Amino acid sequence: MPKSPISANTTALRDETMLRHVRQLGSARDGLSEWRLQRMTAVALIPLGLYFAASVLWLAKSDHLTAATWLASPVTALLVMLFVLAGIAHALVGLRSVLLDYVHTRARLVAAGLIIRAAVVILAGASVLAILKLFLGH
């Protein structure tokens, strides 16, 4: 039996319906910016992480006074602060991606997002405060 040919109108209607359906999926607002932020923080974390790891290994056998003196340098304090903030931003974007993939209820997604953002603000604030306290020598 020969197949009946699909008319052009049927194909166009199906394609238009599929296009409407696809436009409703995913984020058309901030998906690309989050992807870029994730990649930029990942690239920034490579040299900052190497610097931080080398510094921690160098300070491993030092006392508290030596570490505080090391962190009192403006360049060191800035690099450590950038490392902490880039790591927290990287983690925030990654956790938001995981939430979007695995939490399917809108209320739970909003609640989890708020909890994660609050934790990020607290961690970032406490980290910057600790670095500034050691930098300023108080």
Side-chain angles (χ1 to χ4, degrees):
M1 252 176 141
K3 292 184 178 180
S4 63
I6 298 175
S7 70
N9 289 337
T10 306
T11 303
L13 182 62
R14 185 193 68 210
D15 290 346
E16 185 179 328
T17 304
M18 290 304 295
L19 184 60
R20 272 194 229 131
H21 179 69
V22 169
R23 283 185 180 159
Q24 300 302 317
L25 298 176
S27 172
R29 294 180 310 273
D30 58 355
L32 183 60
S33 63
E34 284 191 359
W35 181 84
R36 284 183 181 153
L37 179 62
Q38 185 80 14
R39 293 330 180 254
M40 286 190 310
T41 55
V43 169
L45 283 171
I46 294 169
L48 291 171
L50 291 173
Y51 171 76
F52 187 74
S55 299
V56 167
L57 290 174
W58 179 71
L59 290 169
K61 295 184 179 180
S62 302
D63 59 345
H64 177 68
L65 184 60
T66 306
T69 305
W70 170 77
L71 198 54
S73 167
V75 173
T76 302
L78 177 66
L79 290 175
V80 170
M81 201 175 304
L82 287 174
F83 172 69
V84 168
L85 293 177
I88 289 174
H90 188 78
L92 174 66
V93 175
L95 285 171
R96 286 188 61 198
S97 297
V98 169
L99 285 177
L100 288 173
D101 288 343
Y102 293 107
V103 177
H104 303 293
T105 307
R106 180 77 176 153
R108 288 181 181 169
L109 182 64
V110 170
L114 289 174
I115 290 170
I116 288 175
R117 284 181 184 262
V120 162
V121 167
I122 291 169
L123 284 174
S127 300
V128 169
L129 181 66
I131 293 167
L132 287 176
K133 185 176 178 182
L134 286 171
F135 172 68
L136 298 173
H138 295 236

